[in-house]
Amino acid sequence: MPSILSPEAIIVDAITGQLATVIDNVRLGYSATGIDNGDQFPVILVQLETLREINRQGSKARYQFSFIISVAVKTQAETTLELLRYARQVREVFPLNEKLCPASIKHSLSETEFDIAPGHSQLSFADITLTVEAIL
């Protein structure tokens, strides 16, 4: 029997599907200790940070999802340029004038925060918060 995705899962699938066009290695959920240097890099990590109900009318409610999208790469000579390129590509796959999926109303992207590791082979990150409002 085919599984039917919940409305929340459809939003998550839309986000990860778009991100897979930037880097095909996309993982849901992670912790600071959950990344291993043996993992394949670059990787895009997606973590649901908050889910807030804004208002409700009957069986439908307006929700605000907040996702942290992190691009992780191993540090090397070109890490800054590599992270800048990936951050730009992540922003480009979420045009603000297009819906992510039928349930989404609007979305926005935060500024990009960079954490460049001081040593080669350590992990460096570009973090962007994606906020999505949807009626579910």
Side-chain angles (χ1 to χ4, degrees), residues 6-136:
S6 69
E8 295 86 352
I10 291 169
I11 291 169
V12 172
D13 281 356
I15 292 168
T16 57
Q18 291 296 97
L19 292 171
T21 66
V22 176
I23 297 171
D24 62 2
N25 187 15
V26 177
R27 291 182 17 196
L28 277 178
Y30 67 95
S31 67
T33 58
I35 301 171
D36 182 359
N37 276 337
D39 287 345
Q40 178 186 350
F41 293 94
V43 61
I44 295 179
L45 306 165
V46 180
Q47 179 68 42
L48 177 62
E49 184 176 49
T50 61
L51 173 59
R52 182 169 68 106
E53 185 175 311
I54 298 171
N55 64 25
R56 175 172 292 279
Q57 288 187 344
S59 64
K60 296 282 186 179
R62 184 174 183 157
Y63 292 96
Q64 183 179 63
F65 296 80
S66 183
F67 295 92
I68 303 293
I69 298 171
S70 298
V71 178
V73 300
K74 285 196 176 185
T75 305
Q76 39 110 355
E78 299 294 319
T79 296
T80 299
L81 294 175
E82 184 179 19
L83 286 175
L84 283 169
R85 180 173 44 90
Y86 285 131
R88 179 183 44 77
Q89 290 174 337
V90 166
R91 290 180 172 288
E92 287 174 351
V93 298
F94 296 113
L96 298 179
N97 61 343
E98 293 180 17
K99 291 177 120 187
L100 292 176
C101 65
S104 71
I105 300 168
K106 64 180 180 178
H107 62 277
S108 62
L109 296 162
S110 71
E111 65 184 26
T112 305
E113 295 183 23
F114 295 92
D115 182 6
I116 311 279
H120 283 214
S121 295
Q122 293 178 326
L123 296 179
S124 294
F125 297 88
D127 300 322
I128 302 170
T129 300
L130 172 65
T131 303
V132 179
E133 285 190 27
I135 305 260
L136 306 174

